[in-house]
Amino acid sequence: ETGVTQTPRHLVMGMTNKKSLKCEQHLGHNAMYWYKQSAKKPLELMFVYSLEERVENNSVPSRFSPECPNSSHLFLHLHTLQPEDSALYLCASSQQPNLPYEQYFGPGTRLTVT
Amino acid sequence: ELKVEQNPLFLSMQEGKNYTIYCNYSTTSDRLYWYRQDPGKSLESLFVLLSNGAVKQEGRLMASLDTKARLSTLHITAAVHDLSATYFCAVDTSGTYKYIFGTGTRLKVLA
C-alpha cells in the first residue's frame, strides 16, 4: 500500500448505529487530519493530530470521536449520527513542521446516515 | 476568522481557450496550495506556493501568489477536456495546523 488509505470506502448506517472509519498513511508523516466534505460546502477541518496528540478540534459534535494510536493510523468513531452528517470524510497527512506542509489525501469514505 | 474565497464557482469553457481562477484570502499567510478533485475521487496536490511572487507551472496550468494582495491565480492555457475537475485553493495559518479551503471552482471543458 502506498500513500493514504481509508476504509471503508462506502458506509451506510442508521442513526443509532456505531461505526468507525479507519485511515492509514504509508508516507512516514507525523500529522494526520480528518475533513468533512459536504455538497455545496467548503472542505471542513474536523480534527488534527500531530505526533499522536490532538492539536486541533474544530467544534465538532461529540458524536464524532477521533483516535490516533500511532503516527500511521487515525480513526473516526461514529455514534448516534444525524442525517446531516452524511458526507465524504477525507483523511490527510503531512510532515510538520518541514516545508512545504503539503497535505496528502486519502480516497475518502462516503458516509450515508439513514 | 480566516476566509478563503474562490471565483468563479463554476466555469464552463471551450477546448483551446484560456481562463483564470482566482483565490482570495482574508489574513496574512505565505503558504497557498492548489488541489484538484475529480468526481468521486480524493484531492490531488497540484501546486505549493510558499512566498510572494511565487509562480509554478505544470503543463497547461500555472499558479501564482501575491501575498500583499492576498491573491492567488490558477491560469489555464489552451484547455483540454482532461482538465475538467474541481479546483480548490487552501491557505494555512502560520504556526498552526489549520488549513482553510476555498469553496472550489468546478471546471468543465467542452470539446
Side-chain angles (χ1 to χ4, degrees), chain B residues 1-108:
Chain B
E1 182 189 347
L2 175 59
K3 290 186 179 178
V4 181
E5 294 182 342
Q6 285 182 239
N7 70 81
L9 298 183
F10 298 98
L11 177 56
S12 181
M13 57 192 296
Q14 296 287 334
E15 274 194 332
K17 298 292 187 183
N18 303 333
Y19 210 82
T20 300
I21 299 171
Y22 297 89
C23 173
N24 290 90
Y25 53 98
S26 62
T27 193
T28 303
S29 177
D30 290 332
R31 293 188 291 272
L32 193 292
Y33 309 83
W34 284 97
Y35 292 88
R36 168 183 172 144
Q37 186 177 35
D38 291 295
K41 300 283 182 69
S42 189
L43 277 75
E44 173 193 353
S45 177
L46 292 175
F47 299 110
V48 181
L49 303 169
L50 298 175
S51 61
N52 187 39
V55 177
K56 291 206 174 172
Q57 182 163 6
E58 180 76 32
R60 301 173 188 276
L61 300 177
M62 183 174 72
S64 65
L65 177 62
D66 181 344
T67 58
K68 293 179 182 176
R70 297 178 187 173
L71 171 69
S72 180
T73 60
L74 181 65
H75 187 73
I76 303 156
T77 302
V80 293
H81 180 69
D82 285 351
L83 290 179
S84 297
T86 300
Y87 293 85
F88 293 92
C89 63
V91 174
D92 72 352
T93 50
S94 299
T96 77
Y97 295 84
K98 202 163 193 173
Y99 292 74
I100 307 298
F101 280 76
T103 47
T105 295
R106 194 168 165 186
L107 171 66
K108 187 172 183 180

Side-chain angles (χ1 to χ4, degrees), chain A residues 7-8 10-22 62-65 75-82 85 109 111-114:
Chain A
T7 54
H10 300 272
L11 178 62
V12 179
M13 59 186 288
M15 292 167 62
T16 57
N17 290 160
K18 288 184 181 182
K19 296 285 183 183
S20 295
L21 309 184
K22 179 183 175 183
S62 59
R63 57 186 183 269
F64 295 91
S65 174
F75 295 89
L76 188 62
H77 304 298
L78 317 170
H79 65 98
T80 58
L81 294 190
Q82 305 297 311
D85 297 323
T109 294
L111 173 66
T112 303
V113 181
T114 60

Side-chain angles (χ1 to χ4, degrees), chain A:
Chain A
E1 294 276 18
T2 59
V4 181
T5 58
Q6 289 185 244
T7 54
R9 295 293 308 277
H10 300 272
L11 178 62
V12 179
M13 59 186 288
M15 292 167 62
T16 57
N17 290 160
K18 288 184 181 182
K19 296 285 183 183
S20 295
L21 309 184
K22 179 183 175 183
C23 175
E24 184 173 359
Q25 60 96 1
H26 309 268
L27 300 167
H29 289 164
N30 60 9
M32 296 186 76
Y33 311 76
W34 279 117
Y35 286 90
K36 175 183 179 182
Q37 187 176 33
S38 308
K40 301 178 183 176
K41 275 189 169 184
L43 215 60
E44 298 172 67
L45 180 64
M46 300 175 72
F47 300 104
V48 183
Y49 277 82
S50 174
L51 297 171
E52 300 129 55
E53 180 181 339
R54 192 189 306 181
V55 296
E56 190 73 42
N57 176 359
N58 260 10
S59 303
V60 179
S62 59
R63 57 186 183 269
F64 295 91
S65 174
E67 178 191 0
C68 187
N70 56 61
S71 59
S72 299
H73 294 86
L74 185 64
F75 295 89
L76 188 62
H77 304 298
L78 317 170
H79 65 98
T80 58
L81 294 190
Q82 305 297 311
E84 61 264 28
D85 297 323
S86 298
L88 180 67
Y89 288 85
L90 291 164
C91 174
S93 71
S94 70
Q95 183 62 21
Q96 300 285 8
N98 300 330
L99 288 173
Y101 304 102
E102 188 176 9
Q103 290 188 310
Y104 293 80
F105 284 82
T109 294
R110 174 69 63 186
L111 173 66
T112 303
V113 181
T114 60

